Amino acid sequence: MSVALVTLGCARNEVDSEELAGRLAADGFRLVDDPSAADTVLVNTCGFVEQAKKDSVDALLEAADLKGTDHGPTSVVAVGCLAERYGAELAESLPEADAVLGFDDYPDISARLRSIVAGEILHPHTPQDRRRLLPISPVDREAAPAAPRSRLTTGPMAPLKLASGCDRRCTFCAIPTFRGSFVSRRPTDVLEEARWLAADGVRELFLVSENSTSYGKDLGDLRLLESLLPELAAVDGIERVRVSYLQPAELRPGLLEAIATTPGVAAYFDLSFQHASNAVLRRMRRFGDPDSFLGLLERVRALAPAAGVRSNVIVGFPGETEQDLEALCDFLVAARLDVVGVFGYSDEDGTEAATYDDKLDDDEVRARTSHVADLVEQLTAQRAEERVGEDVVVLVEEIAEGETIGRAAHQGPEVDGTTSLLRPAELGELVRAKVVGSEGVDLVAARQ
């Protein structure tokens, strides 16, 4: 029986899809790339924000449209965050999907799919607040299997999961309710998977979780990531290790130094600022202000002057004043960030912020978001231009129509811009080059 996996959302979801693929392949399923050539299509949905939900529903409908075609699938199944978050509600509103499965179905995914293809009607799960489910204790966790996942891509970069879930209670975010409490993977499991990825040709590991700064706290060692990073960088075949999603309030000096100075670890700081106004951050149930954030960036750049720094901000949060918006814009000007994702606030089901008063109307949120996005576009283009003359090491990820494209150490996968090389190189090669130009956040570099 053949199965195609369609993945939406973040790199964390990509790992989930590859783990599902590993289970299915081990149980005799044949993995195919083309949904129209599969017996069944598994759509790994995203439930983060409204646009992501819409994209997930569109993907499910697109897969369902194939069911009536020659050689098309006989079933379409929804998994992932949207499926976990809404369960029966999603199944009722989307009858085109033959089943809606939750995270607890993943260990038995092969049996579930066989039942669905055989015509059995599976009742969608009932969503619950997964924070109330106690995470498996470290001593009870099973060791990672020899082949923990099946890669669905062949590029020289691969995400590697550090942990699942989140213990923070940000008032705008529903992720902990459907991802659950924070659970670190054992270092031995992470290292085993890193070696497996390296043997498959991976050169850069992208460490993903909902909050990488929390890694190890549930294992009794908050400094665990600091000791793990050099071990990952030393894995034969791995040339670069990158850490994603760091909470500014939790970024300890030792971890900051480890990321900034460990050979083989990218000096790359994915810092989730979300805003700069202390008043707004407190309503978000977060911590910080412009001075503390700028002080953090100063410490980063003192250790690694060319470090890459990216962040996301939410504009138009309930109660945000003109002064709060000005504080955010002033911070962005001073921060010199490489990339900033700008999101307009919208209510999310089940979040505390959805109950707040003092909400801005939609037109005002859109206007403020557009203003900040325009500012960010200018600032990040300026930051890229500042990098002209810098020496960079570029991981080549694409060769198309004579153009060689990759990423420097300060550029994360997919959303942080790229670097084009003026001379050809091999796919997967790490090339030393000098930046000679920029266009927006993208760079042009000459091979040295």
Side-chain angles (χ1 to χ4, degrees):
M1 189 181 299
S2 60
V3 59
L5 286 99
V6 177
T7 306
L8 296 100
C10 63
R12 173 74 174 73
N13 247 22
E14 293 177 27
V15 177
D16 286 353
S17 284
E18 294 191 347
E19 290 177 347
L20 287 168
R23 293 180 185 274
L24 291 167
D27 287 337
F29 279 79
R30 180 169 55 89
L31 303 175
V32 298
D33 295 329
D34 184 2
S36 66
D39 294 314
T40 187
V41 179
L42 204 59
V43 180
N44 190 356
T45 61
C46 178
F48 180 43
V49 293
E50 283 305 316
Q51 186 57 52
K53 296 175 190 175
K54 181 181 183 302
D55 291 343
S56 294
V57 170
D58 288 346
L60 284 162
L61 291 173
E62 185 177 338
D65 285 343
L66 298 172
K67 287 197 288 185
T69 62
D70 292 340
H71 310 296
T74 59
S75 60
V76 172
V77 179
V79 294
C81 293
L82 190 68
E84 173 65 34
R85 187 174 180 183
Y86 292 103
E89 183 182 342
L90 178 63
E92 183 178 351
S93 63
L94 198 71
E96 292 86 353
D98 296 280
V100 174
L101 303 181
F103 295 150
D104 291 336
D105 291 304
Y106 285 14
D108 299 313
I109 190 65
S110 299
R112 298 287 189 273
L113 289 193
R114 287 194 172 94
S115 295
I116 294 162
V117 171
E120 184 178 341
I121 303 299
L122 299 185
H123 293 290
H125 76 104
T126 301
Q128 58 184 316
D129 187 341
R130 295 187 72 88
R131 292 173 298 185
R132 297 174 182 170
L133 301 178
L134 292 177
I136 302 169
S137 68
V139 293
D140 291 336
R141 294 178 199 165
E142 297 179 0
R149 58 199 256 205
S150 292
R151 292 195 72 202
L152 300 174
T153 60
T154 57
M157 182 284 301
L160 175 56
K161 183 172 65 179
L162 276 178
S164 301
C166 183
D167 288 337
R168 298 186 69 90
R169 295 295 181 265
C170 302
T171 59
F172 56 84
C173 183
I175 289 175
T177 63
F178 56 85
R179 277 292 186 183
S181 300
F182 187 88
V183 180
S184 302
R185 296 183 68 195
R186 287 184 176 277
T188 50
D189 296 348
V190 176
L191 282 165
E192 180 180 354
E193 191 164 324
R195 296 185 188 102
W196 175 78
L197 289 168
D200 196 48
V202 170
R203 294 295 169 261
E204 177 179 314
L205 299 174
F206 186 39
L207 306 184
V208 298
S209 73
E210 279 76 18
N211 178 8
S212 296
T213 30
S214 282
Y215 181 72
K217 72 174 187 179
D218 54 322
L219 298 176
D221 185 0
L222 258 178
R223 301 189 63 179
L224 200 54
L225 186 55
E226 298 164 37
S227 58
L228 180 60
L229 286 174
E231 293 187 72
L232 288 168
V235 170
D236 189 30
I238 297 301
E239 302 286 349
R240 190 155 70 196
V241 178
R242 184 183 305 276
V243 185
S244 73
Y245 213 80
L246 304 166
Q247 289 287 348
E250 295 182 29
L251 186 53
R252 303 169 301 283
L255 180 56
L256 188 159
E257 183 175 353
I259 294 172
T261 64
T262 301
V265 175
Y268 174 82
F269 292 83
D270 178 10
L271 295 166
S272 175
F273 290 125
Q274 301 298 353
H275 211 281
S277 163
N278 178 256
V280 174
L281 287 167
R282 286 176 68 85
R283 286 174 70 82
M284 291 178 169
R285 213 179 293 281
R286 296 175 68 86
F287 305 94
D289 53 53
D291 288 342
S292 65
F293 289 165
L294 291 173
L296 174 59
L297 294 175
E298 185 177 347
R299 293 192 294 276
V300 165
R301 288 164 176 153
L303 290 170
V309 186
R310 81 168 326 273
S311 191
N312 296 311
V313 296
I314 297 174
V315 181
F317 192 78
E320 182 190 70
T321 65
E322 292 283 356
Q323 291 74 25
D324 294 327
L325 183 66
E326 184 178 350
L328 173 60
C329 292
D330 288 346
F331 165 72
L332 292 171
V333 170
R336 296 170 52 243
L337 305 177
D338 290 280
V339 178
V340 183
V342 181
F343 298 89
Y345 172 81
S346 61
D347 288 339
E348 282 295 315
D349 296 337
T351 62
E352 184 179 336
T355 69
Y356 284 178
D357 297 326
D358 300 327
K359 288 195 175 75
L360 283 67
D361 64 52
D362 292 344
D363 288 342
E364 180 64 19
V365 171
R366 280 192 291 269
R368 293 188 182 193
T369 303
S370 178
H371 172 70
V372 175
D374 289 345
L375 174 64
V376 160
E377 185 176 4
Q378 297 173 35
L379 294 174
T380 53
Q382 291 172 10
R383 179 67 185 119
E385 192 173 348
E386 289 175 9
R387 291 192 178 274
V388 173
E390 280 188 9
D391 293 330
V392 293
V393 178
V394 179
L395 175 65
V396 178
E397 292 187 302
E398 183 181 356
I399 300 172
E401 299 179 355
E403 191 172 10
T404 302
I405 302 172
R407 290 179 296 104
H410 72 276
Q411 295 171 317
E414 297 184 2
V415 292
D416 286 2
T418 60
T419 299
S420 297
L421 293 171
L422 294 179
R423 287 167 49 194
E426 297 293 324
L427 191 68
E429 186 179 356
L430 277 94
V431 177
R432 296 188 178 277
K434 184 178 290 291
V435 179
V436 297
S438 66
E439 183 175 348
V441 296
D442 298 326
L443 304 179
V444 179
R447 187 169 185 170
Q448 293 181 334

